[in-house]
Amino acid sequence: MAHRSPSPSPAPIDPTDLLAPSLCLNPDAIADLAPVQPSEHNLLPATFPTLSWSEKSSLHHSISLGEKRLCYRHRPDLRSKRAADEFQLEELQQDIKLLPSHDQQIISHIWSLFGSAPASHRQLVLSGLLTQCCVPQLSFLSNHLQPLLRIDFLTILPPEISLRILSYLDATSLCHAAQVCKSWRRLADDDVVWHRMCEQHIGLKCTKCGWGLPLLEKKKVRAKRQEEGAQIQDRPLQIDTSSSSHPPSPSPSISPSSPSFPSRRRSASSDIETDSRSAKRARHGSRSPSPFYDLSDYPAPLFQSPVPPVKPEGTTKRPWKEIYSERLIVERNWRKRNYRVKQFRGHTDGVMCLQFDDSFLITGSYDNSVKVWNIETGECLRTLTGHALCVRALHFDEAKLITGSMDRTLKIWNYHTGQCIRTLQGHTDGVVTLDFDSRILASGSVDATIKIWNFATGQCSTLKGHSDLVNKVQIYKKDFLFSTSDDTTVKFWDIASRTCLQTFTGHVGRVQCLQTSGDALISILANRRHGKFAALELASQDSNNAVVSRARATSPAYESSSSDSETRTTRSIVVTGGLDNTLKIWDAETGACLNTLFGHEEGVWSLAFDKLRIVSGSLDKTIKVWDTESGQCLYTLSGPEGPVTCVGLGDTKVVGGSADGSVFLWDYGARM
């Protein structure tokens, strides 16, 4: 009998090979996720009939491990996010310790075989096990598989895709998502997500939720104006000054009973209606300058704008989420009518004009003075005197204040010091309205003319076309101008050619106030009876159609909302108010009347609006707040004891001046 050499002793088995829990784990994860920790008590004895996969399967398994193809559950960077799995493993280890040592060895061996099997073999093993499971075991699997299949998709997806997904949520859902875990909070608070949220709501109405947030960007507007002011010398406005191209208009017909402004020391609307303009003309009849202003009187620039301040370096930017939250508080105050009322008293007669920003409130009155107020404290900082008659119009920016008076003059002030810089003369009657930008100043007068003053060249030109007192002028897109008059019309002018491009008709009373949306497009629910826009046909037949087309070309294309494509449009608008007790919303480019707002019991004397709301002041002693898009009256503000002669609107404030000399401020920005 041949001597039989002893068989070589089997190579020692690495405990980690027996306990490898998953194909896609790297060695660093084994210690954390192995259901049974190797020890001298649970290792299989040498006599135990061990099984192993074929050499081909083992090679395939080794290659897979070398490629480190990690599944979602076993990615090392996600291990800290699987606290629930780790808790289950601890419970599993406690249960196994209760079994006999032999049973622990068998279970450990089964797990090690499964852990070292290729993916295709694993599926076969699982399929066979499922065929042998009873209903209780299948129910157990179903209950345990459902939570295991849940994936933290925001964590495993690329950040760009995760942020894109979150951008479709509303603000409430984003706040809930930020409470899930730290990684979700980091994504949900990202500036990209909240910037998109702000784009949907700030300055316009969201098409999903139907409400919008205020702009709160006056600082940006001031910076933009300063930048434009520095470029005045680079782009002076060229105005056609040839008299032959503009025939003289007929002399205005003035009735002794036609009013131009509320009477001094009279608060009743009937007294306002019976004020005599002929008396005004008699007061100013001693002087009769030529209707065409001599351009040589002002060869030098009217006003030199200061150099805009340099923006400090290292300015920190606020998170968009904080900006959204700030505006949301203001929006809720507007919606719920939460405001604080402040009153400014100091004028001895009716307040006829006002303007305010974040720091100052400036008012002009029948007492011939202009007052500069601290808008936060209500303190009167200084009183500007110099006009011989009542101040009917004013406008200011960061550097200067310009006022217009019934003494036929305009004055340029440094309102920070109270110094009068320059006095402009040219109108033959009282100045009722004015407006200016970085290049030009426009003024309207009782003499039914509009004068355009060029800051850079000092030149002045005249626009004629109204047959009665000009109540309001406003520059539109730098090269055009809107004006309203007691002749019940609204006119659209080309400043460079000094021609009237279009006349808007529709009011049956004197048109007292006007405001344009400037370059902004505003969503409007147009009245269905104006859906055909018959005015488009009239515009196409206008003799100045080529110039009108040039004006329209400067506006962005109109857009329609899918929610109501027949009536909701986004366009540039003009809002006017008249003594016929109505406000009208016009398409600034076509002249079509989009909506008429009814609600005031007496004539509308002043208005202001933004993308979200319109405020109007009336001779009925009230201020009404309207929804810009629908034209619906939201609520009425009361307080003044006399007719409301001027109003101002900001993102957080409404200011109204009354014929009784008081000024009221409704502040929506304070936390209630």
Side-chain angles (χ1 to χ4, degrees):
M1 184 174 178
H3 178 70
R4 193 173 188 181
S5 62
S7 60
S9 58
I13 301 176
D14 186 356
T16 58
D17 291 339
L18 297 176
L19 301 174
S22 173
L23 169 68
C24 58
L25 280 180
N26 59 10
D28 297 334
I30 296 176
D32 294 337
L33 301 179
V36 180
Q37 298 298 332
S39 66
E40 59 181 4
H41 299 291
N42 58 16
L43 287 178
L44 294 174
T47 58
F48 192 88
T50 59
L51 300 174
S52 61
W53 300 105
S54 65
E55 182 178 353
K56 181 178 180 181
S57 299
S58 300
L59 179 62
H60 186 273
H61 173 64
S62 301
I63 294 175
S64 300
L65 287 177
E67 295 176 353
K68 295 183 179 180
R69 293 181 299 177
L70 305 177
C71 73
Y72 166 76
R73 291 193 63 206
H74 300 122
R75 279 174 52 179
D77 58 328
L78 300 180
R79 282 187 297 161
S80 60
K81 303 174 180 62
R82 297 199 319 277
D85 290 352
E86 295 177 358
F87 180 74
Q88 288 183 348
L89 289 174
E90 292 178 1
E91 289 185 344
L92 189 58
Q93 291 179 7
Q94 296 296 330
D95 293 340
I96 290 179
K97 289 180 181 179
L98 301 177
L99 300 177
S101 176
H102 184 74
D103 293 348
Q104 293 185 35
Q105 295 170 358
I106 295 175
I107 294 175
S108 176
H109 186 59
I110 294 174
W111 283 341
S112 65
L113 285 175
F114 185 80
S116 61
S120 58
H121 290 33
R122 288 186 178 193
Q123 294 180 1
L124 290 174
V125 173
L126 291 175
S127 299
L129 291 175
L130 288 176
T131 60
Q132 300 180 36
C133 290
C134 301
V135 173
Q137 285 88 43
L138 293 175
S139 177
F140 171 83
L141 289 174
S142 176
N143 293 334
H144 283 71
L145 286 176
Q146 185 175 2
L148 293 177
L149 291 175
R150 294 172 182 169
I151 295 178
D152 185 358
F153 59 94
L154 291 183
T155 304
I156 64 173
L157 288 174
E160 295 81 5
I161 299 179
S162 299
L163 295 176
R164 179 77 178 192
I165 294 173
L166 291 175
S167 65
Y168 289 100
L169 301 181
D170 56 25
T172 303
S173 300
L174 277 177
C175 293
H176 290 165
Q179 299 174 355
V180 173
C181 61
K182 292 182 179 179
S183 61
W184 279 45
R185 180 170 185 172
R186 185 175 62 255
L187 292 170
D189 289 348
D190 193 277
D191 261 8
V192 174
V193 177
W194 286 99
H195 180 262
R196 178 179 173 86
M197 182 68 65
C198 291
E199 282 184 331
Q200 293 176 348
H201 293 88
I202 293 179
L204 71 163
K205 284 196 172 183
C206 177
T207 57
K208 298 179 181 178
C209 62
W211 54 270
L213 303 179
L215 286 173
L216 302 181
E217 61 171 6
K218 291 187 180 297
K219 293 181 180 179
K220 288 185 178 180
V221 174
R222 288 199 297 269
K224 181 179 179 181
R225 287 176 180 173
Q226 288 178 343
E227 182 179 354
E228 291 177 350
Q231 300 173 354
I232 292 178
Q233 301 295 337
D234 298 335
R235 189 196 168 196
L237 180 68
Q238 300 298 327
I239 301 178
D240 183 8
T241 57
S242 59
S243 58
S244 60
S245 62
H246 194 85
S249 59
S251 59
S253 173
I254 302 175
S255 170
S257 62
S258 59
S260 64
F261 51 91
S263 174
R264 302 181 65 174
R265 300 180 178 88
R266 294 183 181 180
S267 59
S269 60
S270 59
D271 294 338
I272 295 176
E273 291 291 337
T274 57
D275 191 20
S276 173
R277 189 185 303 143
S278 59
K280 291 186 301 180
R281 292 191 178 274
R283 291 196 300 268
H284 308 307
S286 58
R287 293 193 301 176
S288 57
S290 171
F292 293 98
Y293 189 66
D294 185 4
L295 302 181
S296 62
D297 287 359
Y298 288 101
L302 298 180
F303 182 81
Q304 294 285 358
S305 294
V307 178
V310 179
K311 185 177 180 180
E313 297 182 359
T315 304
T316 58
K317 293 184 178 180
R318 299 171 58 198
W320 280 103
K321 184 177 182 180
E322 180 182 338
I323 295 173
Y324 182 91
S325 301
E326 177 187 22
R327 286 156 171 76
L328 181 61
I329 293 173
V330 176
E331 190 278 334
R332 286 175 177 171
N333 288 341
W334 278 103
R335 190 156 25 104
K336 298 179 180 180
R337 309 182 194 181
N338 294 331
Y339 53 77
R340 294 179 181 175
V341 181
K342 186 184 300 183
Q343 189 172 4
F344 300 79
R345 285 197 175 274
H347 285 292
T348 59
D349 212 329
V351 177
M352 297 306 300
C353 50
L354 62 83
Q355 185 187 343
F356 69 94
D357 62 10
D358 293 337
S359 303
F360 301 104
L361 166 65
I362 303 182
T363 56
S365 170
Y366 260 118
D367 59 13
N368 307 349
S369 70
V370 176
K371 289 185 179 293
V372 181
W373 311 80
N374 184 312
I375 198 168
E376 296 298 332
T377 64
E379 176 189 3
C380 181
L381 302 178
R382 60 191 57 87
T383 300
L384 311 182
T385 58
H387 283 293
L389 293 175
C390 70
V391 179
R392 284 298 311 273
L394 64 83
H395 191 72
F396 74 92
D397 59 13
E398 293 76 19
K400 61 185 177 296
L401 162 70
I402 301 181
T403 57
S405 170
M406 294 305 296
D407 61 8
R408 305 184 235 181
T409 66
L410 297 102
K411 290 183 180 293
I412 303 178
W413 309 78
N414 181 341
Y415 62 93
H416 299 284
T417 63
Q419 176 190 4
C420 180
I421 301 173
R422 195 158 195 171
T423 299
L424 307 180
Q425 297 179 342
H427 284 289
T428 60
D429 211 326
V431 179
V432 179
T433 178
L434 66 89
D435 186 29
F436 69 81
D437 60 13
S438 59
R439 299 176 301 135
I440 59 173
L441 162 67
S443 59
S445 170
V446 180
D447 61 16
T449 66
I450 301 168
K451 289 192 177 292
I452 307 297
W453 316 73
N454 194 305
F455 284 123
T457 64
Q459 293 180 338
C460 176
S461 60
T462 304
L463 306 181
K464 290 188 175 182
H466 284 294
S467 59
D468 210 332
L469 176 152
V470 179
N471 287 312
K472 185 68 177 179
V473 294
Q474 185 166 2
I475 300 169
Y476 178 70
K477 295 185 178 179
K478 299 184 179 180
D479 298 322
F480 306 96
L481 181 136
F482 279 96
S483 63
T484 67
S485 171
D486 273 5
D487 60 13
T488 73
T489 65
V490 179
K491 289 186 179 293
F492 181 45
W493 305 82
D494 181 272
I495 297 176
S497 63
R498 298 191 302 160
T499 57
C500 178
L501 304 181
Q502 197 168 357
T503 300
F504 300 179
T505 58
H507 280 285
V508 295
R510 301 181 179 95
V511 187
Q512 291 295 129
C513 47
L514 169 146
Q515 183 178 330
T516 71
S517 60
D519 295 332
L521 297 179
I522 295 181
S523 179
I524 290 295
L525 288 174
N527 196 320
R528 290 183 182 273
R529 68 173 178 268
H530 299 298
K532 303 279 185 188
F533 294 137
L536 288 171
E537 300 178 1
L538 298 177
S540 63
Q541 300 172 2
D542 195 282
S543 59
N544 298 312
N545 188 53
V547 184
V548 174
S549 300
R550 178 167 61 88
R552 293 173 185 168
T554 62
S555 295
Y558 298 155
E559 300 175 357
S560 296
S561 172
S562 58
S563 59
D564 192 354
S565 58
E566 294 184 1
T567 58
R568 180 179 281 107
T569 55
T570 305
R571 61 188 68 206
S572 298
I573 65 170
V574 177
V575 182
T576 59
L579 296 186
D580 55 5
N581 307 352
T582 66
L583 294 94
K584 287 185 179 291
I585 301 177
W586 311 79
D587 187 321
E589 311 300 341
T590 66
C593 181
L594 305 178
N595 206 349
T596 301
L597 313 184
F598 299 91
H600 282 292
E601 298 178 359
E602 296 188 44
V604 179
W605 196 266
S606 59
L607 65 87
F609 78 92
D610 57 23
K611 291 185 178 182
L612 302 177
R613 56 190 63 87
I614 303 170
V615 295
S616 57
S618 170
L619 303 180
D620 60 14
K621 307 179 184 180
T622 65
I623 295 176
K624 289 187 179 294
V625 181
W626 313 76
D627 180 78
T628 302
E629 182 178 272
S630 65
Q632 177 185 3
C633 181
L634 303 178
Y635 49 88
T636 300
L637 302 175
S638 59
E641 298 179 357
V644 180
T645 53
C646 49
V647 295
L649 173 64
D651 295 321
T652 62
K653 297 178 180 66
V654 175
V655 182
S658 173
D660 62 3
S662 63
V663 179
F664 284 83
L665 182 147
W666 292 264
D667 186 1
Y668 292 84
R671 292 177 178 265
M672 299 298 172

